[in-house]
């Protein structure tokens, strides 16, 4: 037998007694390749085998662990033997329990009459007491003496075919005992910093591993998981912080110490006062601009919170300091809208505003640094608005001082960086209306500073949201009519462009357009979607803006950024097809004027959970609450969308609940990353 001392923890598991290539291959499926991996295999759950429930005490309101002897068992076949149910009755001194498994006839071979079993599962009926598909483990003769499987809180590991719970538990047990003395603390310094700076006490590694597999209490399990979760978070944060330190080391931040010669007249002519929240964010940005370090800031603000004006003020600070500004938006429509807004705001101040999209440009991106070719007085910079074209074309700007990315969740990190690289370490402001729950924010935006607009501009009408079952579609239409009669405008939004799915009942905008036209035949109804060409789309939007169109039938292309205050009704069809955060974004297109707005979610309400999910939108307009609920329901990958799902898959850390742990990890990682820089 190999001596533990001669085998390191990094040795492959084949070095362990009894693990040949075949077993090793099975363990590999559980991501266990080395001895260390085995020691860090996280149990799925734990069974407190010191506390047993008697069969007579089983209640149909939860999962329980019982211990009993097999009394009888058998298979019933039905549907011409294509289906089967294996049934087994076990008993303890208080009563009998029925266990059933469907279409698993092989289970008959697994048990013998008289055998003693652990049985864990959900009670689905009390008369007779029944569990469907419970988990079982055979109690062996000598179990009473051994404390591996019995008389303790037993770990239940993830399994794969060919590996049994008992075998794996014994393997972990033996391996731990053999190697315990070799487990060294590898992160002592980090634990010390966590204690010193965050008052966070974490278990030493050896203890943490023991408690992971052999806890005496469930509190010990929690402590163990916490230590390993912290390590995972720390590793991630260290990477982010090192990236940030490299930026600080290599870059000389552009100092924009503007003289207010643009900002002042801009604010006085704006027509409204900035909210307190907007002013605070601008103060943060101003501080970044004079710090000598390139700004890397995320601005979060719910739809309609007024991010554009913040972007304009930040731009003016850069422009009056002689620097150019580039703003990138994810869609043509939004880029066009921004272009108009900025033209409106900046041209009267003598600032040149350019646009560059797939279909429009008012300058030649192939000419070197042509933003500067336009000679505006006083050495001011210029501003350019664009789509992806900004990064895909030859556009460059020698005096690029600030890059702004709107609706940044629509872009990937790489695209963001490409635009930044068009200049020499310009400041970066990314904006998003998708509120990211904070732990997740610290994870994916760990290297950014975060500003939040948590206040809506005054005088906003409320949005009332109603959830309608499909059967009530007529009522929704009638309601829209009452709004149209008052001179308001409406959006109808569909999940698909074409290819409706009649079986699943999913509607597509192309097919529904003519129906809406005939139902609202007194009104001007038009359609907008991603496949119209730029000019057509822009024309429709412009007419809608000027109230020439009463109803706009659309796909979710209108999701982003559109700002038309007289549109006060939105009907979203097949609302069950959208994510909560996306629905919240969509309805952010209304409620932009002083009139009350109405959002009607028409959905197939088949299940209680579908109803409960959409009800959240009826209850709240708080983007953060909605985002949190959405994240919980869909998980981080789905929640963030394809482009962004570079979130690591944590084994121990829980991105939904471990906020303070993530914050501590960031603090400690920042300390370590800065120390590394200074030595
Ligand atoms: P979002 O944050 O969704 O991008 P916008 O920047 O489009 O929001 O702002 C929505 C509307 O609110 C715009 O019409 C804008 O001019 C207006 N707005 C922004 N800030 C204020 C303010 N402080 N007071 C009044 N209206 C404001
Ligand atoms: Mg916006």
């Amino acid at each position: 037998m190999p001596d533990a001392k001669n085998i390191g923890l990094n040795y492959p598991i084949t070095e362990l007694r009894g693990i040949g290539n075949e077993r090793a291959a099975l363990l590999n499926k559980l991501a266990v390749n080395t001895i260390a991996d085995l020691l860090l295999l996280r149990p799925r759950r734990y069974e407190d085998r010191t506390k047993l429930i008697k069969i007579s005490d089983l209640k149909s309101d939860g999962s329980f662990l019982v211990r009993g002897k097999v009394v009888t068992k058998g298979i019933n076949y039905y549907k011409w033997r294509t289906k089967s149910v294996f049934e087994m009755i076990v008993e303890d001194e208080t009563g009998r329990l029925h266990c059933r498994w469907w279409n698993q006839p092989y289970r008959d071979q697994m048990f013998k009459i008289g055998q003693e079993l652990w049985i864990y599962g959900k009670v689905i009926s009390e008369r007779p007491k029944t569990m469907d598909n419970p988990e079982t483990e055979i109690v062996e003769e000598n179990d009473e003496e051994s404390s591996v499987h019995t008389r303790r809180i037993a770990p239940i590991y993830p399994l794969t075919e060919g590996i049994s719970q008992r075998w794996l538990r014994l393997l972990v047990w033996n391996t731990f005992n053999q190697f315990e003395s070799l487990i060294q603390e590898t992160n002592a310094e980090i634990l010390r910093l966590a204690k010193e700076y965050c008052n966070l006490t974490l278990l030493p590694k050896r203890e943490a591993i023991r408690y992971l597999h052999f806890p005496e209490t469930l509190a010990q399990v929690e402590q163990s998981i916490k230590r390993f979760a912290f390590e995972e978070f720390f590793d991630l944060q260290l990477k982010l912080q090192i990236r940030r330190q490299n930026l600080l080391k290599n870059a000389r931040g552009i100092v924009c110490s503007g003289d207010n010669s643009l900002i002042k007249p801009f604010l006085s002519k704006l027509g409204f006062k900035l909210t307190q929240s907007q002013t605070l964010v601008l103060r943060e940005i101003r501080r970044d601009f004079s710090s000598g370090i390139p700004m890397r800031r995320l601005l979060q603000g719910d739809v309609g919170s007024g991010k554009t004006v913040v972007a304009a003020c930040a731009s003016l600070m850069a422009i009056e300091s002689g620097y150019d500004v580039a703003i990138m938006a994810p869609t043509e429509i939004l880029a066009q809208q921004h272009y108009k807004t900025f033209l409106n705001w900046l041209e009267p101040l003598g600032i040149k505003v350019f646009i560059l999209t797939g279909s429009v440009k008012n300058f030649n991106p192939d000419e070197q640094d042509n933003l500067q070719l336009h000679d505006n007085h006083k050495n001011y910079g210029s501003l350019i608005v664009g789509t992806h074209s900004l990064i895909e074309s030859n556009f460059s700007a020698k005096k690029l001082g600030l890059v702004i990315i709107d609706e940044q969740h629509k872009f990937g990190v790489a695209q963001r960086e490409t635009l930044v690289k068009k200049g020499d370490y310009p400041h970066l402001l990314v904006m998003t209306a998708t509120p990211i729950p904070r732990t997740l924010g610290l994870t994916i935006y760990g290297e950014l500073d975060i500003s939040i607009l948590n206040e809506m501009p005054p005088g906003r009408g409320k949005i009332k949201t109603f959830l309608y079952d499909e059967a009530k579609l007529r009522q929704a239409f009638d309601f829209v009519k009452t709004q149209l009669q008052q001179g308001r405008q409406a959006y109808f939004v569909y999940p698909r462009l074409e290819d409706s799915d009649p079986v699943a009942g999913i509607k597509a905008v192309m097919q529904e357009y003519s129906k809406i036209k005939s139902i609202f035949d007194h009104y001007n109804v038009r359609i907008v979607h991603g496949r119209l060409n730029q000019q057509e789309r822009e024309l429709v939007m412009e007419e809608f803006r000027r109230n020439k169109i009463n109803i706009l039938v659309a796909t979710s292309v209108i999701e982003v950024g559109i700002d038309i205050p007289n549109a006060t009704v939105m009907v979203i069809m097949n609302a069950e097809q959208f994510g909560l955060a996306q629905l919240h974004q969509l309805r952010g297109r209304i409620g932009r004027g002083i009139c009350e707005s109405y959002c009607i979610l028409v959905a197939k309400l088949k299940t209680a959970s579908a109803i409960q999910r959409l009800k959240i939108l009826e209850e709240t307009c708080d983007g953060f609450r909605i985002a949190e609920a959405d994240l919980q329901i869909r998980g981080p990958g789905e929640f963030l969308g394809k482009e962004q799902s570079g979130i690591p898959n944590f084994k121990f850390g829980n991105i939904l609940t471990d906020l303070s742990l993530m914050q501590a990890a960031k603090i400690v990682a920042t300390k370590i990353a800065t120390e590394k820089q200074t030595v």
Side-chain angles (χ1 to χ4, degrees):
M1 184 191 134
D3 178 3
K5 294 228 167 51
N6 296 324
I7 306 175
L9 295 178
N10 286 327
Y11 276 58
I13 37 174
T14 42
E15 293 295 321
L16 293 172
R17 188 162 53 150
I19 308 288
N21 288 338
E22 226 166 278
R23 293 274 188 188
L26 293 176
L27 286 167
N28 291 163
K29 285 192 196 167
L30 299 171
V32 171
N33 299 302
T34 64
I35 294 166
D37 292 340
L38 182 67
L39 293 176
L40 285 175
L41 179 66
R42 181 178 179 177
R44 274 193 298 124
R45 60 182 182 86
Y46 298 82
E47 273 176 12
D48 188 346
R49 294 186 171 174
T50 62
K51 281 202 205 87
L52 273 186
I53 294 275
K54 292 296 169 205
I55 288 179
S56 60
D57 290 337
L58 287 176
K59 294 264 160 16
S60 61
D61 62 351
S63 296
F64 300 96
L65 178 70
V66 296
R67 199 173 146 166
K69 271 200 172 65
V70 179
V71 183
T72 173
K73 64 186 180 108
I75 311 173
N76 280 318
Y77 289 98
Y78 55 102
K79 287 231 167 136
W80 296 282
R81 289 185 75 88
T82 59
K83 307 253 176 206
S84 70
V85 55
F86 168 62
E87 282 189 79
M88 182 164 82
I89 297 177
V90 292
E91 71 175 4
D92 66 6
E93 65 277 15
T94 68
R96 291 186 159 201
L97 171 68
H98 293 241
C99 303
R100 306 185 295 189
W101 290 266
W102 273 267
N103 303 316
Q104 300 169 37
Y106 60 86
R107 286 201 176 259
D108 194 30
Q109 314 288 315
M110 293 168 52
F111 308 103
K112 294 191 190 75
I113 307 283
Q115 207 166 33
E116 182 102 7
L117 299 176
W118 296 108
I119 297 163
Y120 176 85
K122 211 172 151 189
V123 179
I124 58 135
S125 134
E126 286 182 35
R127 262 160 210 267
K129 304 238 188 279
T130 308
M131 288 184 184
D132 282 351
N133 301 305
E135 292 180 35
T136 57
E137 191 179 315
I138 297 159
V139 182
E140 302 279 344
E141 291 270 308
N142 53 359
D143 266 8
E144 292 310 326
E145 294 87 65
S146 132
S147 43
V148 181
H149 308 292
T150 312
R151 287 190 301 155
R152 70 168 182 121
I153 296 178
I156 309 293
Y157 297 98
L159 295 178
T160 184
E161 210 181 319
I163 287 185
S164 80
Q165 195 57 255
R166 294 176 66 87
W167 179 82
L168 186 53
R169 193 180 296 127
L170 194 61
L171 178 69
V172 175
W173 173 273
N174 289 336
T175 308
F176 179 76
N177 286 329
Q178 195 184 345
F179 289 90
E180 181 177 9
S181 62
L182 292 187
I183 300 171
Q184 301 291 340
E185 182 53 68
T186 40
N187 276 332
E189 173 66 0
I190 291 158
L191 297 201
R192 194 183 61 72
L193 290 172
K195 178 74 195 146
E196 186 176 338
Y197 290 100
C198 313
N199 198 21
L200 182 66
T201 310
L202 296 164
L203 287 182
K205 193 166 193 169
R206 194 182 296 177
E207 248 174 300
I209 291 183
R210 181 184 313 129
Y211 290 161
L212 187 64
H213 305 291
F214 314 109
E216 281 146 32
T217 64
L218 289 174
Q220 287 176 341
V221 174
E222 218 168 274
Q223 287 300 313
S224 163
I225 305 268
K226 186 164 147 194
R227 186 231 143 96
F228 294 122
F230 182 83
E231 273 182 321
E232 287 177 332
F233 290 170
F234 173 81
D235 288 346
L236 171 81
Q237 290 295 339
L238 189 63
K239 255 185 242 149
L240 297 170
Q241 292 309 321
I242 286 176
R243 203 191 298 166
R244 187 179 170 112
Q245 292 301 326
N246 285 339
L247 172 75
L248 300 190
K249 191 176 65 187
N250 296 328
R252 175 191 45 84
I254 295 167
V255 177
C256 300
S257 51
D259 55 2
N260 295 331
S261 59
L262 290 173
I263 279 259
K264 267 222 179 102
F266 172 70
L267 289 177
S268 69
K269 275 187 227 140
L270 188 57
F272 53 78
K273 249 185 83 202
L274 295 186
T275 62
Q276 212 174 5
S277 192
Q278 285 168 325
T279 309
L280 280 177
V281 170
L282 280 168
R283 209 171 289 159
E284 291 174 323
I285 293 174
R286 194 183 280 278
R287 209 179 308 133
D288 291 345
F289 277 3
S290 57
S291 70
I293 294 166
M295 172 172 84
R296 291 292 176 267
R297 189 168 285 281
L298 169 71
L299 174 57
Q300 283 194 21
D302 216 337
V303 275
S305 60
K307 294 182 291 293
T308 318
V309 94
V310 171
C313 291
S315 300
L316 287 173
M317 290 181 207
I319 291 169
E320 67 187 18
S321 312
Y323 291 98
D324 296 325
V325 177
I327 303 183
M328 183 160 70
T331 64
E332 288 265 358
I333 291 186
L334 189 57
Q336 297 270 350
Q337 180 179 284
H338 279 334
Y339 176 63
K340 281 203 193 92
T341 308
F342 282 95
L343 204 60
N344 229 346
W345 280 342
L346 305 199
E347 221 177 29
L349 300 166
I351 308 304
K352 284 274 174 204
V353 181
F354 299 96
I355 181 161
L356 173 62
T357 74
S359 53
V360 264
K361 57 180 185 202
N362 58 0
F363 81 116
N364 182 355
D366 295 324
E367 266 172 50
Q368 269 292 300
D369 207 4
N370 34 32
L371 295 188
Q372 293 293 321
L373 296 179
H374 296 267
D375 180 34
N376 46 39
H377 46 275
K378 277 197 155 183
N379 240 345
Y380 288 154
S382 313
L383 182 136
I384 180 163
V385 181
T387 52
H388 295 82
S389 298
L390 285 173
I391 47 182
E392 281 151 15
S393 69
N394 279 337
F395 160 76
S396 73
K398 244 189 240 115
K399 293 210 72 186
L400 193 58
L402 170 64
V403 165
I404 299 177
I405 310 230
D406 195 16
E407 308 293 347
Q408 86 94 33
H409 54 285
K410 300 269 170 182
F411 294 100
V413 176
Q415 291 172 311
R416 186 167 99 195
E417 288 307 307
T418 311
L419 186 54
V420 164
K421 291 215 172 91
K422 300 267 181 175
D424 186 15
Y425 290 104
H427 296 294
L428 172 70
L429 179 67
V430 300
M431 311 201 289
T432 184
T434 308
I436 307 275
R438 293 192 59 203
T439 321
L440 193 53
L442 278 170
T443 311
I444 54 176
Y445 302 129
E447 84 277 30
L448 300 176
D449 295 312
I450 297 181
S451 294
I452 294 177
L453 284 182
N454 52 10
E455 185 185 1
M456 283 291 174
R460 283 292 166 76
K462 286 215 177 56
I463 303 177
K464 286 201 173 143
T465 300
F466 303 95
L467 181 57
Y468 277 25
D469 188 87
E470 272 187 333
K472 284 171 71 182
L473 194 55
R474 280 282 144 193
Q475 272 157 276
F477 289 158
D478 290 344
F479 178 79
V480 173
K481 277 182 187 155
T482 66
Q483 285 287 303
L484 294 174
Q485 277 154 15
Q486 292 167 36
R488 304 278 97 79
Q489 293 160 277
Y491 297 101
F492 279 82
V493 183
Y494 292 84
R496 293 208 184 155
L497 178 57
E498 41 196 8
D499 306 324
S500 61
D501 182 342
V503 182
I506 301 173
K507 298 192 163 105
V509 69
M510 290 301 205
Q511 283 92 349
E512 298 299 311
Y513 177 41
S514 54
K515 283 190 208 158
I516 298 294
K517 268 204 294 204
S518 67
I519 293 168
F520 294 92
D521 52 357
H522 294 327
Y523 294 98
N524 190 7
V525 182
R526 295 289 291 279
I527 186 168
V528 68
H529 52 75
R531 219 175 284 163
L532 290 183
N533 77 34
Q534 176 52 29
Q535 270 164 351
E536 294 166 327
R537 229 185 324 165
E538 191 44 33
L539 203 68
V540 176
M541 290 315 294
E542 192 50 40
E543 287 190 3
F544 192 59
R545 202 186 306 279
R546 288 188 301 152
N547 202 358
K548 295 273 189 290
I549 294 174
N550 308 99
I551 297 179
L552 199 59
V553 180
T555 54
S556 56
V557 291
I558 56 146
E559 177 181 347
V560 164
I562 299 303
D563 185 25
I564 297 169
N566 192 48
T568 57
V569 197
M570 177 175 285
V571 182
I572 303 176
M573 301 291 188
N574 288 115
E576 78 284 350
Q577 298 290 315
F578 294 92
L580 288 184
Q582 198 186 6
L583 289 169
H584 179 62
Q585 281 258 337
L586 277 168
R587 87 175 154 180
R589 302 303 120 227
I590 56 175
R592 294 189 156 240
I594 43 170
C595 294
E596 189 140 44
S597 289
Y598 305 90
C599 175
I600 302 176
L601 305 172
V602 181
K604 279 190 148 354
L605 298 175
K606 281 213 188 110
T607 59
S609 68
I611 296 172
Q612 198 188 9
R613 190 176 83 96
L614 292 170
K615 279 252 177 224
I616 296 169
L617 291 168
E618 254 186 354
E619 283 155 20
T620 182
C621 272
D622 178 344
F624 266 93
R625 268 197 56 199
I626 291 164
E628 235 141 36
D630 205 25
L631 177 61
Q632 223 132 39
I633 293 165
R634 296 198 297 160
E638 281 265 313
F639 175 84
L640 289 166
K642 278 195 233 46
E643 298 89 345
Q644 305 240 343
S645 42
I647 338 158
N649 229 337
F650 297 119
K651 194 162 98 186
F652 294 95
N654 181 340
I655 219 165
L656 296 174
T657 53
D658 291 341
L659 174 61
S660 60
L661 214 51
M662 184 68 88
Q663 281 168 328
K666 181 173 180 177
I667 292 170
V668 174
T670 309
K671 288 263 172 249
I672 295 212
T674 27
E675 267 168 30
K676 275 198 182 153
Q677 287 295 319
T678 47
V679 289

